[in-house]
């Protein structure tokens, strides 16, 4: 979905979404079954290719199991008009891998992150964790007869695990033929970044300023760990608890019925923040993997993010910090975020890497429960719950992961 709102920075041509995605030849169920299983040799699962708008070439000689494969399947193509400013809506729509986006010979001007307009800044490479979006402007300063490569690359471990990490697409200028093959060179490669971080928070200042409460009503610390449960299956925990859903007990419906305490079901990972007006979350990653952390129902104020534990005081741009709904958490690093509790509901907060989510990396924030009791749950939703209850009472539901 593309929402066309007012421009805060002028541009000439909107090229629409540019989807960056790792690609697995195995189906999702098979990958998840291996990763959450109890055979440790199957836990590492590398993507097989990397795509821009669903396309990239692939070396079919590496396919040995008889799966149909086509060499030189083709690249996505975009048309630039010389001298014009083009808007690209970048989306990391993949399952696991960080993406580094660039265009040969062109500078990128970042103007929004996760739909939040920011003061523009220039960069040669845009970093996108799973689920993150960035809007960039590109001025067509190249040769009117030329063509250039667009690139999206997955870094090495720990930021991604990929057999073929490099995706290409082609930018064609006004007079370039549609079958033109670029000879352009990539942007200079920087030093590998094992922190898997987004751009520095000092660069990403929202265009419309908002100031978070310097003294939030609640501060909650959450420690992330990875381990193995009693049955030998790989899991993630948040504050020592791995999430496991029960489809027969949807939390929003329970809260609507004034049931907001679940002592017999700690695996639902519910943090009840009551009717407090502002909440600060301090996450420490006691783990060697990065995690793009996503909050539903809100934009987060990103107060601090980096290596090691938070010092308890440093806040970047305290009067107007970055706001977005996904922020990368570094290996053995920290993330400090805050949100205004102005949207009653039961809101997930989780890692956006598909497999980590399947391994229980998920908590729920219960917000303004008194207001939830006043909600009118649509009859179709209540009926769906009734129908599911009837189905699951007579059928075994195959739930190989945490249920999300």
């Amino acid at each position: 979905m593309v929402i066309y709102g007012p421009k805060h920075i002028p541009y000439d041509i909107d090229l629409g979404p540019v989807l960056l995605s790792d690609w697995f030849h195995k189906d999702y169920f098979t990958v998840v079954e291996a990763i959450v299983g109890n055979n440790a040799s199957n836990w590492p699962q590398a993507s097989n290719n990397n795509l821009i708008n669903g396309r990239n070439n692939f070396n079919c000689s590496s396919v040995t199991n008889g799966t149909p494969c086509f060499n030189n399947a083709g690249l996505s193509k975009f048309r630039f008009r010389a001298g014009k400013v083009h808007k690209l809506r970048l989306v990391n729509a993949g399952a696991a891998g960080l993406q580094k986006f660039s265009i040969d010979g062109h500078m990128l001007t970042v103007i929004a992150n996760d739909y939040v307009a920011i003061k523009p800044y220039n960069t040669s490479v845009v970093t996108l964790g799973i689920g993150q979006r960035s809007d960039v402007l590109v001025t067509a300063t190249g040769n009117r007869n030329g063509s250039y490569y667009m690139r999206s690359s997955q870094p090495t471990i720990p930021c991604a695990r990929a057999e073929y990490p490099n995706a290409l697409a082609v930018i064609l200028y006004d007079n370039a033929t549609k079958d033109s093959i670029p000879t352009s060179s990539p942007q200079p490669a920087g030093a590998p970044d094992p922190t898997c971080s987004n751009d520095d928070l000092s660069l990403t200042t929202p265009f419309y300023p908002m100031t978070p409460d310097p003294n939030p009503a609640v501060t909650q610390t959450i420690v992330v760990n990875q381990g193995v449960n009693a049955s030998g299956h790989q899991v993630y925990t948040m504050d020592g608890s791995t999430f496991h859903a029960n489809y027969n007990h949807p939390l929003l419906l329970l809260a609507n019925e004034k049931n907001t305490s679940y002592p017999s079901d700690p695996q639902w990972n519910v943090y009840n923040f009551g009717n407090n007006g502002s909440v600060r979350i301090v996450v420490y990653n006691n783990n060697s993997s990065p995690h793009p952390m996503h909050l539903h129902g809100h934009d987060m104020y990103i107060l601090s993010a980096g290596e090691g534990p938070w010092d308890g005081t440093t806040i970047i741009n305290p009067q107007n910090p970055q706001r977005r709904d996904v922020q990368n958490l570094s290996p053995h690093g920290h993330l400090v975020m805050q949100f205004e509790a102005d949207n009653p509901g039961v809101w997930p907060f989780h890692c956006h890497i598909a497999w980590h989510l399947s391994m229980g990396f998920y908590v729920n924030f219960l917000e303004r429960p008194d207001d939830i009791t006043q909600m009118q749950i649509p009859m179709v939703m209540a009926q769906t719950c009734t129908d599911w209850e009837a189905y699951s009472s007579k059928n075994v539901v195959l739930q190989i992961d945490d249920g999300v």
Side-chain angles (χ1 to χ4, degrees):
M1 177 185 293
V2 176
I3 298 174
Y4 297 96
K7 302 178 183 178
H8 75 292
I9 303 295
Y11 59 87
D12 300 305
I13 300 170
D14 189 338
L15 291 180
V18 179
L19 304 182
L20 317 174
S21 53
D22 50 18
W23 184 256
F24 294 76
H25 290 160
K26 297 177 184 176
D27 64 87
Y28 179 80
F29 188 93
T30 300
V31 175
V32 171
E33 192 173 35
I35 289 176
V36 303
N38 53 16
N39 184 344
S41 65
N42 291 331
W43 291 349
Q45 294 283 321
S47 63
N48 302 106
N49 204 355
N50 201 22
L51 310 178
I52 297 178
N53 274 5
R55 307 191 72 176
N56 196 21
N57 291 325
F58 185 74
N59 180 5
C60 291
S61 66
S62 64
V63 179
T64 59
N65 62 359
T67 301
C69 184
F70 301 92
N71 284 302
N72 301 317
L75 307 179
S76 296
K77 296 181 180 181
F78 302 84
R79 182 68 70 171
F80 270 20
R81 293 176 58 191
K84 300 296 184 180
V85 178
H86 302 75
K87 181 177 183 177
L88 285 71
R89 302 169 184 266
L90 307 180
V91 182
N92 185 339
L98 190 80
Q99 299 280 356
K100 297 279 189 177
F101 178 89
S102 63
I103 298 176
D104 294 356
H106 293 73
M107 188 62 64
L108 311 174
T109 300
V110 184
I111 63 168
N113 287 325
D114 297 352
Y115 305 131
V116 176
I118 63 173
K119 297 178 180 179
Y121 70 93
N122 294 332
T123 182
S124 58
V125 178
V126 175
T127 300
L128 293 159
I130 297 296
Q132 289 188 316
R133 293 85 69 206
S134 288
D135 292 352
V136 302
L137 300 184
V138 186
T139 301
T141 56
N143 188 318
R144 186 180 294 272
N145 300 312
S147 60
Y148 300 82
Y149 277 125
M150 175 187 292
R151 304 175 189 266
S152 195
S153 299
Q154 297 182 71
T156 56
I157 296 171
C159 304
R161 188 185 297 270
E163 293 177 357
Y164 293 92
N166 300 316
L168 294 175
V170 177
I171 292 176
L172 302 170
Y173 267 72
D174 308 64
N175 299 330
T177 60
K178 65 180 181 179
D179 57 353
S180 176
I181 299 176
T183 59
S184 57
S185 299
Q187 299 282 2
D193 178 16
T195 70
C196 315
S197 302
N198 288 118
D199 286 349
D200 194 281
L201 291 175
S202 63
L203 295 174
T204 54
T205 305
F207 187 81
Y208 178 82
M210 294 177 65
T211 302
D213 187 344
N215 299 297
V218 178
T219 298
Q220 177 71 51
T221 298
I222 299 175
V223 179
V224 175
N225 279 290
Q226 182 181 6
V228 176
N229 64 15
S231 59
H233 292 79
Q234 186 179 206
V235 297
Y236 272 100
T237 62
M238 301 180 78
D239 272 356
S241 178
T242 189
F243 176 76
H244 199 269
N246 186 331
Y247 300 147
N248 295 83
H249 297 288
L251 293 172
L252 183 62
L253 184 59
L254 292 178
N256 180 253
E257 296 171 346
K258 301 184 180 182
N259 182 355
T260 59
S261 178
Y262 321 107
S264 299
D265 296 285
Q267 75 277 7
W268 293 348
N269 287 4
V270 177
Y271 292 79
N272 187 344
F273 293 127
N275 297 313
N276 289 293
S278 57
V279 178
R280 179 175 294 177
I281 305 294
V282 181
V283 184
Y284 174 63
N285 181 17
N286 190 27
N287 175 251
S288 59
S289 295
H291 304 291
M293 299 302 299
H294 176 44
L295 176 63
H296 291 227
H298 297 274
D299 285 330
M300 305 179 283
Y301 293 107
I302 308 301
L303 307 183
S304 181
E307 298 179 83
W310 183 45
D311 62 14
T313 58
T314 299
I315 294 176
I316 309 301
N317 295 335
Q319 299 303 313
N320 186 26
Q322 167 71 85
R323 302 188 303 273
R324 65 185 313 167
D325 58 42
V326 185
Q327 176 69 28
N328 287 337
L329 170 64
S330 295
H332 296 287
H334 72 272
L335 167 64
V336 184
M337 69 84 162
Q338 192 166 313
F339 64 94
E340 302 301 328
D342 55 6
N343 191 11
V346 183
W347 299 114
F349 179 57
H350 61 88
C351 175
H352 222 306
I353 293 175
W355 334 127
H356 296 182
L357 179 55
S358 293
M359 293 158 61
F361 198 146
Y362 179 108
V363 294
N364 289 290
F365 294 159
L366 178 57
E367 179 179 339
R368 306 186 74 86
D370 290 349
D371 292 341
I372 295 175
T373 64
Q374 304 303 312
M375 290 180 175
Q376 297 297 315
I377 303 296
M379 181 57 67
V380 65
M381 296 177 64
Q383 185 60 46
T384 299
C385 294
T386 300
D387 294 344
W388 175 260
E389 185 74 31
Y391 172 83
S392 60
S393 67
K394 298 178 181 179
N395 298 273
V396 175
V397 178
L398 183 58
Q399 185 175 327
I400 64 169
D401 59 6
D402 68 358
V404 181

